[in-house]
Amino acid sequence: MHSPDVFASFQPAFAPYEGTDLPVHSPIDGGLLTTLRTHTKADVAEAIERASVAFGAWRNVPAPKRGELVRRLGQKLREHKERLAWLVTVENGKILEEGRGEVQEMIDICDFAVGLSRQLYGLTIASERPLHAMTETWHPLGPVGVISAFNFPVAVWSWNAALAFVCGDPVIWKPSEKTPLTALACQALFEEVAAEFGAPDHLSQVVVCNRHAAAAMIEDSRVPLISATGSTAMGRAIGPQVAARFGRCLLELGGNNAVIVTEKADLAVAMPSLLFGSVGTAGQRCTTTRRVIVHRSLWDRVYDALSENAARIAANKVGNPLDPGTLVGPLIDRASYETMQAALASARADGATVRGGQRLLEDVLPNAYYVAPAMVKVARQSGVVCDETFAPITYVLPYDTLEEAMEIHNAVPQGLSSSIMTTDLREAEYFKRTSDCGIANVNIGTSGAEIGGAFGGEKETGGGRESGSDSWKQYMRRQTSTTYYGTEAPALAQGIRFDV
Ligand code: UN1
């Protein structure tokens, strides 16, 4: 499965981190890729100290010059797109096409951030007092702690890092322990760029560690922003810890995304999006379509079409994600497979019809976890349907009125992404107004957002917004400034007199 040459070409990036603590496996065959040494809490504290020093220098570099560093990073990623995509596939298991998409997302956010580096605009505000000028300006914030998940092992770092760098902030990155190698590869590419550019040392650092060591970053007020992607449980743990020291959190947590298919849907448009959203990335996107809420008149038809397509994929398109014909790669690990099976068992116990979901390729790859995507027909939303199971399970539910569909839609704890399939403008607008998610699409699926929009969601999704739009403001400190340029004693606001 491996291309030894490509893997060997990454060895210099891994070498300084090699050790005996953390075995890293490929989900493709369960094989050991390498073993790393992990950082302790004290190591993380030292990284924070180094980042603080880097901040002192980087904050004084003009923003457009900081953008030049990010421009070069984007260029470096273009040059290494194919090999980095390959490593993403080997370490994470997503198909190579999606590995390439992930690196493209990094390149796109670099381009976005370069433009932004000349547009960190503030405001001029009308003062109520004569000869006073009021402005609002944005200043670098400080070291940013980035915690990323295995499923987008490099793109999510880049959303944060590209913005943080142009905003004047160093980054300390704690990647998932399941995917540290892709992080080290990015770090090596960054270091090449930083050396050519002459950036301060330690502008970007990777800490390979568990959550106990990462607590150093969560607890330290020298890290004013923690941007974390992962489970709701993780967010629930770190959110209050960061808040307790008045730090800022940017949380992108679980999703339980639904697509509503109305009577007015064009199924030729809807079906491909439903399928990619449900089974693409083996159901391991936070934006994966987990629920399809279908008008009762189309319930059987949509369920049958989805399960037939899923069965077709299971028959010959689940397998090695490096093969060009594969559409669905493996689950990340055994635990993920077991969680999936438990969810299906629970759905069955609740009376649902389950098609697919069985393990595949077990004889040839006993240490890898490939599954047939599961389509679950369920009459009512309850129990496990309300949970996010990070696997290819799609619950297909019926509705009678659009109001009822929206109630079902919003009655889960998560609020990341949502879609409606309809050709009716009124239905589409009603849906957008009523969906409680951070993302609400019309006639496209729930996954595959572009970097130009703000990405994130409400409720247990955590409320954060990353990447596009004005997400950059979270990586900066806002300052309101009033200047008096008169020669008499200045007037006080609110008309207060204080004559001595
Ligand atoms: C994630 O799964 O954490 O919208 C991120 C998408 C991708 C990003 C997903 N652009 O599906």
Side-chain angles (χ1 to χ4, degrees):
M1 115 192 153
H2 300 309
S3 164
D5 293 347
V6 185
F7 199 76
S9 76
F10 282 112
Q11 283 299 336
F14 307 151
Y17 298 82
E18 268 162 355
T20 54
D21 309 343
L22 180 67
V24 186
H25 296 98
S26 171
I28 298 180
D29 60 1
L32 183 70
L33 294 169
T34 191
T35 310
L36 301 180
R37 155 179 74 84
T38 53
H39 291 111
T40 61
K41 205 168 174 182
D43 293 332
V44 177
E46 279 173 27
I48 295 168
E49 182 55 39
R50 289 192 294 266
S52 305
V53 174
F55 179 53
W58 190 240
R59 64 188 300 173
N60 293 322
V61 175
K65 284 224 158 45
R66 301 194 296 245
E68 168 62 12
L69 172 82
V70 175
R71 191 186 67 75
R72 293 192 197 186
L73 177 62
Q75 189 53 32
K76 184 69 86 182
L77 290 166
R78 280 183 173 86
E79 286 157 21
H80 293 268
K81 180 174 174 181
E82 206 51 36
R83 57 193 281 272
L84 188 55
W86 181 91
L87 189 67
V88 167
T89 291
V90 166
E91 195 182 36
N92 155 290
K94 65 176 66 177
I95 60 172
L96 194 51
E97 185 65 10
E98 292 193 50
R100 290 189 186 107
E102 176 156 3
V103 181
Q104 187 58 47
E105 203 160 335
M106 304 176 81
I107 294 167
D108 294 344
I109 193 70
C110 286
D111 284 357
F112 179 91
V114 175
L116 187 63
S117 71
R118 290 181 183 269
Q119 301 176 75
L120 300 170
Y121 298 140
L123 294 173
T124 305
I125 299 163
S127 171
E128 68 193 41
R129 289 169 281 177
L131 306 178
H132 284 66
M134 202 188 326
T135 60
E136 180 175 280
T137 50
W138 295 88
H139 302 269
L141 183 68
V144 176
V146 175
I147 298 173
S148 62
F150 81 86
N151 69 323
F152 271 79
V154 291
V156 171
W157 168 73
S158 72
W159 298 349
N160 286 281
L163 296 192
F165 295 148
V166 300
C167 291
D169 306 332
V171 171
I172 303 166
W173 180 12
K174 182 221 171 296
S176 162
E177 288 159 271
K178 294 171 188 174
T179 52
L181 299 183
T182 41
L184 298 182
C186 290
Q187 176 68 12
L189 293 176
F190 177 84
E191 280 173 10
E192 283 175 29
V193 170
E196 288 159 16
F197 177 87
D201 290 343
H202 310 300
L203 187 56
S204 171
Q205 300 175 83
V206 172
V207 289
V208 179
C209 65
N210 61 25
R211 62 196 167 94
H212 301 295
M217 190 154 100
I218 309 294
E219 291 159 3
D220 197 318
S221 52
R222 289 172 301 173
V223 185
L225 173 64
I226 297 288
S227 176
T229 304
S231 66
T232 295
M234 182 265 294
R236 218 188 284 288
I238 69 172
Q241 285 175 281
V242 176
R245 61 168 173 86
F246 301 102
R248 215 182 270 179
C249 249
L250 199 175
L251 297 175
E252 203 252 284
L253 310 173
N256 190 352
N257 318 296
V259 178
I260 295 173
V261 181
T262 80
E263 273 176 296
K264 316 254 182 68
D266 179 342
L267 290 186
V269 168
M271 289 313 294
S273 298
L274 286 175
L275 207 60
F276 176 72
S278 300
V279 313
T281 336
Q284 298 176 116
R285 286 194 192 217
C286 55
T287 50
T288 291
T289 302
R290 308 211 177 274
R291 298 174 295 143
V292 181
I293 306 167
V294 191
H295 189 266
R296 196 175 293 277
S297 63
L298 294 170
W299 189 33
D300 288 340
R301 191 163 152 207
V302 168
Y303 179 68
D304 289 344
L306 279 175
S307 44
E308 277 157 27
N309 277 302
R312 207 165 296 138
I313 288 172
N316 57 14
K317 293 198 181 305
V318 175
N320 187 337
L322 291 166
D323 291 344
T326 301
L327 292 181
V328 176
L331 294 176
I332 188 70
D333 57 18
R334 184 188 178 89
S336 170
Y337 169 72
E338 285 170 356
T339 307
M340 176 183 182
Q341 296 310 311
L344 292 177
S346 162
R348 278 192 195 95
D350 281 350
T353 305
V354 177
R355 292 191 193 149
Q358 73 278 16
R359 189 160 170 199
L360 301 174
L361 302 167
E362 190 177 354
D363 309 344
V364 273
L365 293 166
N367 298 317
Y369 295 88
Y370 293 85
V371 290
M375 293 294 163
V376 181
K377 192 175 183 191
V378 52
R380 245 179 312 280
Q381 178 167 274
S382 63
V384 72
V385 184
C386 299
D387 300 337
E388 178 191 47
T389 304
F390 225 60
I393 301 178
T394 313
Y395 301 102
V396 185
L397 298 139
Y399 78 86
D400 293 299
T401 64
L402 195 53
E403 288 72 19
E404 184 198 353
M406 293 312 305
E407 263 171 46
I408 299 170
H409 178 275
N410 289 348
V412 293
Q414 312 82 356
L416 178 55
S417 186
S418 61
S419 302
I420 191 167
M421 298 292 169
T422 183
T423 53
D424 184 320
L425 179 71
R426 291 175 186 156
E427 286 187 341
E429 289 301 318
Y430 172 69
F431 164 77
K432 286 194 276 180
R433 275 201 314 279
T434 317
S435 166
D436 61 4
C437 291
I439 299 170
N441 295 330
V442 178
N443 290 329
I444 66 161
T446 55
S447 68
E450 301 176 17
I451 58 87
F455 183 88
E458 306 301 338
K459 303 194 292 184
E460 289 192 3
T461 301
R465 291 297 187 280
E466 288 175 307
S467 87
S469 185
D470 65 352
S471 302
W472 62 271
K473 291 182 174 173
Q474 295 159 107
Y475 302 80
M476 301 201 85
R477 180 169 59 80
R478 184 198 307 245
Q479 189 169 69
T480 305
S481 170
T482 308
T483 302
Y484 173 58
Y485 52 92
T487 51
E488 310 291 316
L492 295 174
Q494 293 87 45
I496 291 174
R497 304 284 308 260
F498 198 75
D499 300 329
V500 182

